[in-house]
Every structure is written in C-alpha cells, then in structure tokens.
Amino acid sequence: MSITWVLRPEDVARIRFAFSPMWELVASLRTLQTPARQSIHLPWIKAARPLLGGLDLAELFALVPPAGYLADFITPPPDTPVPDFAAELDRVRSTPPEVARREAGHVKGTDRAVLERFMADPEVGVARVADTLETYWEACFAEFWPRVYALLERDVLRRSRQLAQGGASGLFAGLDPAVVWTGERLVIDRPWCHSGGLHGDGLVLVPSAFWWPSVAVMSEPYQSTLIYPVLGVGTLWEQGPPPAPGALAALIGRSRARILLALAEPATTSALAARMDLTPGAVSQHLGVLRGGGLAVGMRLGKQVVYRRTPAGDLLAGAS
C-alpha cells in the first residue's frame, strides 16, 4: 500500500523545508512508550524518565498511540522554516473543537475511556492537552532541543543544496527508500492507500530525529507534509565533536580548531554555539578569525548566515 501525490510544476517550485519542535516533542511520546523501537535514543530516555515526576501523560498517550494514526491537530505542519515551540503551541491551542473531536475519534489502540473523556468536551480537552505538552516540553525536552535543532538544521542545509543542484530528482533520490519520485508522482510506502494531487500550496519536507527511522505524511485539510528520517541521528547523543587534534589546536587554538572541524557540515552561529557549549558571541569571534584567515566563509540563507569551510579550511582540517 502506498500514498501517491501528483506534483505539478508549481508544486515542485513550492517545495520547502522546515523543522518542528512540536513534531519532535510529540514523536518522543512514542519513544517513551516503545523504547526498543528507538534504542538509539536511550541516552535521552534515561535522562527524561526521572524528570517526568508526577506529570500525567495518559491523555497524550491516548492521542499518540505507539503505532498508527495520531491526532493531527497536535502536530500542525510548520508554517515557517524554523518555528519556535511557543508559536506551535499557540496553533495547537487554537484547534477548533470539532476538528479535535473528529481526529481523536480516528485514533485506535489506546485507552478508549480517556479518548471518550476528551471527545465529550474537546474545547476543554484541547486546552488540557496544550498545557500538558507545555509542561512536558519544559520538564523533559527544552534542554535537549538545541542539540536536536543543530542536527535538523544540518540536514535541511544539506537537502537544500541537493534540491538546488539536482532538482526534485536529486532530492528525492536520497531522501528515504520509502519515497520514490517518478518525475511527476511522489510515491510513499505507507500502510494505507491514497492517491491525488497536492492542493495548491506546495509540499513541506520535515526532517525528524524522534520519528526516525520511519516516514510519515499529513494531507488535507492540512498542507501536504512529508516527515522523513534525519541523517546523522547516530551522532545526536554524542557529547560533542571530537577533540581538536593537538597540532591543529596548537596552530589556531583549540576552540577554533573544534569549530573548523565541525564545519565539515555548514552551520549557523547559534547551532555551533549549542554544539560547542560556547556563547554565540564567542563563536562569532572565532568565525571572524577563521574567515579572516581564509578558512571559512559565510553564506546568507534567508535571515540566517550559514558558515562552511573553504577549500583551504578543508585542506587544513584534513591534514590534521
């Protein structure tokens, strides 16, 4: 069984990338329920479980089962490239009660009594769910988000280059084995059937660490969205980049050497700061020195500046 989307030229032109803290948070609920499915996240599970305290997740677990359909209103498709959690939470809070009731009724395999309670008063239920999501975020996820953010950001930058250089064919060829591009149709291997076109607003591609290694889709009445597994998830819970080799550190300084090595993948100042456990100001100063020495260069993408190594920087990092 599969989902088939017909992409017209205007749909291909409107392909955009985004990543979503809300999607990662909701996906992590499945990780908590079935840790064996994602043993790669065991370091986070071990850190998060003691933080749950008296938090009651029963309603969230009812709406987000370990497998199958989850209530879509909890994971609205990102409407900006990098939405913040507060903005996404506001979108959840604004869900019309009739939408929440209908989607909750589609969920299978969880506590029916909890779902019936939610559907009996979905307006109050949505507010209650949003409050629980906020508490869960603050208790178990916010401190880990910069690490997840950096991984997702690197993936989006990599895929954006693929799209720019190879078009849709180059992009989808390496996205995931479950996703096949035929030239005008996107076929996604999923356990239900659907065939149709997009509805005029393009396609959103969302990398995910906590949905990994699976793909997921959202469609009408939401914007068509494909969630795909992020590359490099095996590095997510590493303590940081490897120590800078002594010779390189002695030459340009340990922090600058670590940053130069980290720029094997393009990154923003904020992402580097999160990975290096440095302030953005300190990273900015080090990047200025690396740029002045011809080892790194900045590229503006929208409102952000993304840094990468120059060929000279590659040679120096490789020689180390």
Side-chain angles (χ1 to χ4, degrees), residues 40 57-59 65 127 147 169 182 216 233 240 288 301:
I40 201 165
L57 297 178
E59 195 163 36
R147 185 185 292 262
S169 179
T182 70
V233 71
L301 292 178

Side-chain angles (χ1 to χ4, degrees), residues 76-155:
D79 56 0
T80 65
V82 190
D84 62 41
F85 177 74
E88 291 196 307
L89 187 64
D90 285 343
R91 293 181 66 196
V92 173
R93 290 189 188 279
S94 65
T95 303
E98 62 275 13
V99 172
R101 178 189 288 113
R102 181 177 64 250
E103 294 182 356
H106 293 327
V107 178
K108 307 296 182 185
T110 61
D111 191 325
R112 197 65 201 173
V114 175
L115 289 175
E116 293 290 350
R117 175 197 176 211
F118 177 89
M119 291 187 289
D121 192 344
E123 183 173 4
V124 172
V126 166
R128 192 169 54 239
V129 163
D131 288 344
T132 306
L133 285 169
E134 184 173 24
T135 303
Y136 175 48
W137 168 268
E138 294 296 339
C140 300
F141 214 83
E143 68 175 291
F144 303 102
W145 173 241
R147 185 185 292 262
V148 180
Y149 176 105
L151 181 69
L152 301 178
E153 180 184 63
R154 292 198 300 275
D155 188 274

